[in-house]
Amino acid sequence: MKSDSSKNSGKTFHVKSFGCQMNVYDGERMAEMLGAEGYVPAADSADADLVVLNTCHIRERAAEKVYSDIGRLKRADGSTPTIAVAGCVAQAEGAEIARRAPSVDVVVGPQAYHRLPDLIARAERGEKAIDLDMPLESKFGALPKRAGGQRPTAFLTVQEGCDKFCTYCVVPYTRGAEISRPFAELIAEARALVAGGVREITLLGQNVNAWDGEDERGRAIGLDGLIRELAREDGLERIRYTTSHPNDMTDGLIAAHGEIDKLMPFLHLPVQAGSDRILAAMNRSHSVESYLKVIERVRAVRPDIAVSGDFIVGFPGETEADFQATLDIVRATNYAMAYSFKYSRRPGTPAATMDGQIAEELMHERLQRLQALLNEQQQTFNAATVGRTTRLLLERKGKLEGQLIGKSPWLQSAHVIAPGLKIGDMVDVRITSAGANSVGAEALTEEVA
Ligand code: 5AD
Ligand code: SF4
């Protein structure tokens, strides 16, 4: 449904993405599509003719933020830009958004955003354009081909949706059932990114390690097969993937961590809680023991792997003993970094109506205790890398003269003074200092590696 791009010439747009990396990816694809339609990017929403709010519904605060953001789009003269609400709040709240916020013109769900140009055209004719379809045709086929960007790193969504139905989570409702994008389409997209200068690709999916497909010879493969194939691409130096479910850590994927040099030593593996009783109530379908076993097996093949996780405190019915068990699994795992949240009651999910909802203050207090432990572990992880020689992929400029910031293989942000180098270069370094959220490094050579 390609429209005449000249009709939009001169119009400006701004896409603002919230939440997970999949939203960041979707936001980039929407921006590329609007660019192909003749729109020009604006630096921020204040001077854009079209604003797309690409929203997140995972926790209450994220969803509420949308309404205050819509309110802020009102200009001094009382006018508003064309406003499209996309993402998971759009899917979950639908037409309710346009009722509650009349200045919203377009509401489009995460599986239908390839139709955005049409929806905007309908809005310009004065309609409220709402599309919450989860169409069978893939949006990916309808989007313009990727060209790679100005950055050396890129996301590539390989899998979407979730069939796991954890009882607290909205994703199975907002993103729909699990689908894997076809192998050939992914290889083509990765090649286009690499041709455009991308050196690191992070494969994305709500359950990325549930990806499956067929290779070019028709053989059934899993995520490890896809990673193996991508690792053959010249110019692609690093591969990462996120987010994984413990039950989908196959033997092949675990083995890949010991065998594929380009696969970075970092594993984001959410566990959510450390008590089997709570894990069962969450419908996580794994146990503390099975989670720890996966971690042990990955470490056996890749001893230096940095492990990251997600945690929820205050799930309905969580006792002090259950919470202590969460602290225990954190101690047993030793995380390099982690994300932790207070349980947020999401309408329509099974946990929202469970007995034993936990008071806000108690959740707050548990979160503080959990985060103190996780921060300590992160600091310890960073400190343990001091003295190591490693390689950085330089991603952006630092604050100091000649300073660049890159990522270590373990996903640490690392600062280095390297006046001869530029964004996109890789540089051999020694890590010389460690802070809570980043490390300092010295370049071992001024040569571009
Ligand atoms: N409340 C709090 N945290 C949640 N997450 C998902 N749903 C909820 C919820 N209702 C967290 C989980 C998940 C991460 C993306 O967000 O930890 O892994
Ligand atoms: Fe949500 Fe659980 Fe699916 Fe993750 S695995 S997206 S937490 S339902």
Side-chain angles (χ1 to χ4, degrees):
M1 268 167 297
K2 191 127 176 65
S3 58
D4 173 12
S5 65
S6 61
K7 83 177 169 48
N8 296 314
S9 64
K11 287 192 194 161
T12 56
F13 76 95
H14 186 73
V15 180
K16 201 168 168 196
S17 289
F18 303 87
C20 68
Q21 291 154 323
M22 305 206 41
N23 258 14
V24 174
Y25 175 87
D26 289 342
E28 284 171 5
R29 301 295 312 254
M30 284 189 246
E32 287 163 6
M33 181 174 50
L34 293 170
E37 293 285 320
Y39 285 86
V40 182
D44 72 75
S45 47
D47 36 45
D49 300 314
L50 165 69
V51 176
V52 182
L53 297 176
N54 188 23
T55 61
C56 171
H57 199 246
I58 201 101
R59 283 171 293 278
E60 193 173 2
R61 244 193 293 163
E64 273 306 311
K65 209 174 165 315
V66 177
Y67 290 99
S68 56
D69 278 348
I70 294 168
R72 268 201 298 275
L73 291 175
K74 196 167 187 166
R75 310 267 150 91
D77 64 0
S79 68
T80 48
T82 302
I83 302 175
V85 178
C88 291
V89 176
Q91 193 68 41
E93 307 215 342
E96 180 59 26
I97 298 178
R99 272 196 292 277
R100 208 172 135 182
S103 56
V104 169
D105 305 287
V106 173
V107 180
V108 60
Q111 304 306 353
Y113 67 74
H114 55 298
R115 299 176 181 161
L116 196 53
D118 262 10
L119 295 165
I120 295 165
R122 277 168 51 193
E124 282 168 352
R125 294 195 296 269
E127 260 180 76
K128 289 275 172 214
I130 296 172
D131 191 342
L132 306 175
D133 270 9
M134 295 204 179
L136 284 177
E137 97 259 7
S138 157
K139 66 186 173 223
F140 298 108
L143 294 168
K145 296 276 167 285
R146 303 204 79 186
Q150 287 80 42
R151 286 186 302 255
T153 62
F155 292 135
L156 172 52
T157 293
V158 304
Q159 180 280 336
E160 277 197 290
C162 184
D163 296 338
K164 302 280 192 293
F165 290 93
C166 298
T167 53
Y168 51 81
C169 185
V170 287
V171 166
Y173 312 96
T174 58
R175 290 260 169 184
E178 277 179 19
I179 62 116
S180 292
R181 292 181 65 192
F183 176 81
E185 190 178 301
L186 296 172
I187 298 293
E189 190 168 326
R191 285 190 180 144
L193 290 168
V194 172
V198 166
R199 305 186 85 180
E200 172 180 305
I201 292 181
T202 301
L203 307 176
L204 295 182
Q206 256 92 31
N207 264 301
V208 71
N209 57 344
W211 183 88
D212 61 8
E214 284 180 0
D215 69 8
E216 72 284 351
R217 286 198 263 160
R219 286 176 307 198
I221 54 168
L223 187 67
D224 55 307
L226 177 64
I227 292 171
R228 260 174 228 285
E229 199 58 38
L230 288 171
R232 280 201 260 275
E233 293 296 322
D234 286 338
L236 180 61
E237 307 289 344
R238 293 175 157 195
I239 302 168
R240 304 180 185 273
Y241 63 95
T242 196
T243 288
S244 297
H245 191 283
N247 288 0
D248 293 318
M249 289 302 296
T250 59
D251 294 348
L253 186 56
I254 292 173
H257 277 282
E259 293 166 6
I260 303 176
D261 289 342
K262 290 183 180 178
L263 179 58
M264 291 292 100
F266 186 94
L267 176 63
H268 181 63
L269 196 64
V271 66
Q272 315 296 356
S275 138
D276 282 332
R277 200 178 66 82
I278 295 293
L279 288 175
M282 287 177 162
N283 193 32
R284 287 288 296 174
S285 67
H286 62 79
S287 63
V288 169
E289 191 188 341
S290 67
Y291 178 87
L292 290 174
K293 186 77 201 161
V294 171
I295 301 290
E296 185 187 312
R297 291 181 60 210
V298 179
R299 285 198 167 129
V301 297
R302 187 72 213 227
D304 70 333
I305 198 154
V307 177
S308 148
D310 286 346
F311 295 88
I312 297 175
V313 299
F315 185 82
E318 185 186 75
T319 62
E320 175 62 25
D322 292 322
F323 175 68
Q324 285 295 338
T326 295
L327 297 178
D328 288 343
I329 201 169
V330 171
R331 289 189 195 101
T333 304
N334 250 319
Y335 289 91
M337 63 173 291
Y339 302 92
S340 48
F341 315 100
K342 288 186 256 187
Y343 167 70
S344 169
R345 207 167 172 169
R346 310 312 296 131
T349 60
T353 51
M354 283 181 186
D355 291 340
Q357 302 285 328
I358 306 287
E360 172 64 28
E361 308 80 74
L362 187 53
M363 283 204 274
H364 179 78
E365 186 248 337
R366 286 182 183 163
L367 188 64
Q368 301 300 306
R369 285 156 70 197
L370 174 61
Q371 289 183 343
L373 177 59
L374 290 169
N375 290 343
E376 189 185 305
Q377 290 194 344
Q378 182 168 332
Q379 190 110 34
T380 306
F381 179 88
N382 286 342
T385 60
V386 173
R388 278 198 203 175
T389 56
T390 186
R391 227 163 181 220
L392 306 181
L393 171 56
L394 300 173
E395 293 183 7
R396 58 197 166 93
K397 287 205 160 68
K399 287 203 187 89
L400 306 179
E401 182 68 30
Q403 190 187 48
L404 288 155
I405 302 175
K407 288 273 162 49
S408 77
W410 308 287
L411 207 63
Q412 297 157 299
S413 277
H415 302 69
V416 64
I417 304 281
L421 299 184
K422 61 182 188 312
I423 292 167
D425 287 342
M426 296 191 80
V427 57
D428 290 320
V429 298
R430 177 178 292 107
I431 297 180
T432 51
S433 64
N437 296 311
S438 63
V439 294
E442 64 183 16
L444 295 179
T445 160
E446 290 292 295
E447 300 279 301
V448 176

